[in-house]
Amino acid sequence: MRRPVIAGNWKMNKTASEAVAFVQELAPRLAPYTSVDSIVCPPFIAIESTAAALRGTSLKVGAQNVSAQEKGAYTSQVSGGMLAGLVDYVIIGHSECREYLGETDAVINAKIKAALAHGLTPIFACGENLAVYEAGETNAFVSAQVRAGLDGIDGEAVSRMIIAYEPIWAIGTGKAATAEIAENICGGAVRATVAELYGQAVADDVRVQYGGSVKPSNMREYMSCPNVDGALVGGASLIVDDFTALVAAAAEAKG
Ligand code: PGA
């Protein structure tokens, strides 16, 4: 039985003090939902204060990226070793990092390995753009991203990972994918590819999220999908009431 998991990707929002004030309000609201793993991913500069504010609560902290390198002359980058002990999770391969930072499948694969080497759980994001979707090539495209991202990683590590399917055309647009699309790709592309690569037991363990314009109003539909174990959420994760409603819906459907 997979535990539902909701991760808030704050992107470039909230100062360190805003982040602390937010989680101090959010953590007690989420406390009743013990059957759900809840995660906030603040900007790097807010990670330490957010983690300190959340110590002793069940709300976990993730980073939004990690370097593939250990240390050295990589201006602006943050390594897995620097994040270890502060966060439990790290988003890798978000479409905004693929697009704006030029991250390739090979870089993302190296970052997943770096995260695992430091005991961090990757939230590995994949998903197609509108052209791929309209060409009807989503399944093959996402499957190829999953294969490339997991290259050389053993099944035991994959079984503990989270993979987020996020169609780019649905991110921040308000045009959420239907629950049918989410189920078809989370199951038929992501989990099916993990099954092909590692066997059914690993595929049954890996948690798969849907992401892209997830809101309290559509969360129940996604959580009714057998292959959707939770959500990676941008906009709605910046609002305490919305975040709470998403976690409550996950608890109700799968807790
Ligand atoms: P959104 O973002 O929920 O604002 O669409 C999702 C994401 O980018 O992870």
Side-chain angles (χ1 to χ4, degrees), residues 50-208:
T50 302
L54 289 177
R55 213 151 282 144
T57 75
S58 58
L59 180 53
K60 300 293 184 207
V61 183
Q64 297 176 19
N65 207 341
V66 63
S67 173
Q69 311 297 333
E70 256 322 286
K71 63 176 182 175
Y74 301 100
T75 302
S76 85
Q77 299 301 295
V78 175
S79 72
M82 295 170 184
L83 292 171
L86 285 173
V87 304
D88 294 306
Y89 299 88
V90 56
I91 299 168
I92 297 173
H94 192 279
S95 62
E96 287 152 17
C97 301
R98 293 179 190 257
E99 184 179 351
Y100 305 137
L101 306 178
E103 293 187 4
T104 62
D105 284 337
V107 167
I108 289 157
N109 174 248
K111 289 185 175 209
I112 293 174
K113 288 173 178 160
L116 291 170
H118 287 283
L120 307 175
T121 299
I123 301 174
F124 165 32
C126 55
E128 82 290 3
N129 65 20
L130 190 60
V132 171
Y133 172 71
E134 285 179 345
E137 288 163 4
T138 298
N139 202 306
F141 184 90
V142 170
S143 176
Q145 279 186 329
V146 170
R147 276 172 201 282
L150 299 181
D151 187 42
I153 296 169
D154 67 65
E156 201 275 323
V158 173
S159 69
R160 288 181 287 110
M161 275 175 58
I162 298 167
I163 305 179
Y165 165 59
E166 297 202 304
I168 296 169
W169 48 270
I171 294 176
T173 59
K175 281 192 222 147
T178 62
E180 190 187 355
I181 294 173
E183 170 62 19
N184 283 346
I185 304 304
C186 290
V190 177
R191 202 179 303 283
T193 302
V194 172
E196 262 177 53
L197 294 171
Y198 299 101
Q200 198 56 46
V202 173
D204 285 343
D205 281 347
V206 69
R207 290 187 289 178
V208 183

Side-chain angles (χ1 to χ4, degrees), residues 17-34:
S17 56
E18 287 167 350
V20 168
F22 184 90
V23 297
Q24 281 173 340
E25 203 185 331
L26 181 65
R29 298 274 302 274
L30 299 188
Y33 306 109
T34 52

Side-chain angles (χ1 to χ4, degrees), residues 37-64:
D37 289 337
S38 303
I39 306 160
V40 288
C41 303
F44 283 127
I45 53 94
I47 283 176
E48 193 163 17
S49 54
T50 302
L54 289 177
R55 213 151 282 144
T57 75
S58 58
L59 180 53
K60 300 293 184 207
V61 183
Q64 297 176 19

Side-chain angles (χ1 to χ4, degrees), residues 164-254:
Y165 165 59
E166 297 202 304
I168 296 169
W169 48 270
I171 294 176
T173 59
K175 281 192 222 147
T178 62
E180 190 187 355
I181 294 173
E183 170 62 19
N184 283 346
I185 304 304
C186 290
V190 177
R191 202 179 303 283
T193 302
V194 172
E196 262 177 53
L197 294 171
Y198 299 101
Q200 198 56 46
V202 173
D204 285 343
D205 281 347
V206 69
R207 290 187 289 178
V208 183
Q209 295 173 317
Y210 167 75
S213 297
V214 173
K215 303 270 181 285
S217 56
N218 58 23
M219 184 63 179
R220 270 182 187 76
E221 291 170 48
Y222 295 124
M223 293 309 292
S224 69
C225 300
N227 279 295
V228 179
D229 304 312
L232 180 57
V233 187
S237 77
L238 298 167
I239 302 161
V240 170
D241 282 348
D242 284 6
F243 204 131
T244 306
L246 297 177
V247 173
E252 202 180 291
K254 308 229 178 195

